[in-house]
Amino acid sequence: INAEYMGEMVGARLIAHAGSLVSLAKYPASTVQILGAEKALFRALKTRGKTPKFGLIFNSTFIGRAKPKDKGRISRYLANKCSIACRIDSFSDFTGFGDKLREQVEDRLAFYDNGATPRKNVDVMREAISSLPPTTAPAASTPSASTPAAGTKRRHDSQEEEGKKKKKKKSKSEAPVVQDEGKKKKKKKKQPAEDEEKKKKKKKSSKVVAPVAEDEGKKRKRKATEDDEKKKKKKKSKAVEPQAKKARRE
């Protein structure tokens, strides 16, 4: 479709620049329009100038046929139809849209030249689908005898899977309850032993603290007695000195 619509050379260059047909189909129309003019685009963004209007698409004959003032408009329209053609080529096996897309671009050029209103895209796509052979045309989904059975089987399977999941969730929710009861019993058994250990620790701590307090009291008493003895000695020395002076005088 892309070769019929854009031309073999332009289509090959676009695919080669994008890397593959799938990656080109994933690009939006605005990227397809500027594909190949990345340097000019970034230069324009840096210098705040005018961005390019076309890249590799410029080699198409449609842009050469357009007037200078309409080249930007037709390049945008051409990139739009090119992206549609790439998606049809990469994601389906239908062949018959290329001629219709080419006719749309021709109508758009006539509209720019003469002002003739082009056909709508919906009408053109309907004509393209109707022109396809019955083997390749996308058939509408018709209910068959096998489809209801398949649908009921899928529903039945899905219901069974949901029931199994619910049972598993219930079993998982019940198991922790049993485990919690066992843990509670173990905790109750451990609690008396833990209480006894705490009491022993408290007793030890009280025994250790009490002697320390006694030692501090003894030290204070010793200091007080030593201070008293020093004071008494000073008083005695003061009382003895005057008697010694009197004896010397006599």
Side-chain angles (χ1 to χ4, degrees):
I1 293 169
N2 206 351
E4 294 174 1
Y5 163 60
M6 292 284 294
E8 293 179 357
M9 291 299 294
V10 179
R13 285 178 182 177
L14 288 171
I15 292 168
H17 193 82
S20 66
L21 181 61
V22 177
S23 60
L24 182 63
K26 291 178 181 177
Y27 287 160
S30 59
T31 306
V32 175
Q33 182 183 353
I34 310 170
L35 204 66
E38 288 84 2
K39 289 183 180 179
L41 175 65
F42 293 125
R43 192 188 307 117
L45 292 172
K46 284 181 181 179
T47 58
R48 295 183 181 180
K50 292 182 179 181
T51 55
K53 295 179 181 179
F54 28 69
L56 294 170
I57 287 178
F58 183 76
N59 297 318
S60 177
T61 57
F62 295 111
I63 295 175
R65 288 164 54 189
K67 293 179 181 179
K69 65 176 183 180
D70 296 329
K71 284 187 177 182
R73 299 168 70 188
I74 196 65
S75 66
R76 184 170 62 250
Y77 190 80
L78 193 64
N80 186 8
K81 299 302 173 185
C82 179
S83 64
I84 292 170
C86 292
R87 287 162 194 172
I88 293 168
D89 283 339
S90 60
F91 300 116
S92 67
D93 298 329
F94 305 139
T95 57
F97 291 89
D99 295 333
K100 298 294 180 183
L101 294 172
R102 193 178 186 89
E103 288 176 5
Q104 278 187 301
V105 180
E106 295 283 353
D107 294 341
R108 183 63 59 170
L109 283 171
F111 170 70
Y112 293 151
D113 291 336
N114 307 322
T117 56
R119 292 180 296 171
K120 290 183 179 179
N121 189 32
V122 178
D123 300 332
V124 177
M125 291 297 110
R126 283 175 183 170
E127 287 180 6
I129 292 168
S130 63
S131 64
L132 293 174
T135 55
T136 59
S141 59
T142 55
S144 60
S146 61
T147 51
T152 52
K153 282 182 181 179
R154 287 175 185 173
R155 288 177 186 175
H156 185 66
D157 294 335
S158 63
Q159 287 176 359
E160 286 181 354
E161 288 177 358
E162 287 178 359
K164 287 179 182 179
K165 287 180 182 179
K166 287 180 180 179
K167 285 180 181 179
K168 285 181 181 179
K169 286 181 181 179
K170 285 181 181 179
S171 62
K172 286 180 181 179
S173 62
E174 289 175 357
V177 174
V178 177
Q179 290 177 1
D180 292 336
E181 289 178 355
K183 286 180 182 179
K184 284 180 182 179
K185 289 180 181 179
K186 288 181 182 178
K187 284 181 180 179
K188 285 180 181 179
K189 289 180 181 178
K190 288 180 180 179
Q191 278 179 358
E194 290 177 356
D195 294 336
E196 290 178 359
E197 289 179 357
K198 287 179 181 179
K199 287 179 182 179
K200 287 179 181 179
K201 287 180 180 179
K202 284 181 181 180
K203 286 180 181 179
K204 287 180 181 179
S205 63
S206 62
K207 287 179 181 179
V208 171
V209 171
V212 172
E214 289 177 359
D215 293 335
E216 289 178 355
K218 287 179 181 180
K219 286 179 180 179
R220 287 175 185 174
K221 287 180 181 179
R222 285 176 187 174
K223 286 182 180 180
T225 52
E226 287 177 358
D227 294 334
D228 293 335
E229 289 177 357
K230 286 179 181 180
K231 287 178 181 180
K232 287 178 181 179
K233 285 179 181 179
K234 285 181 180 180
K235 286 180 181 181
K236 285 181 181 180
S237 62
K238 286 179 181 180
V240 170
E241 284 178 357
Q243 291 178 0
K245 287 179 179 180
K246 286 180 182 180
R248 286 175 186 172
R249 287 175 185 177
E250 292 176 354

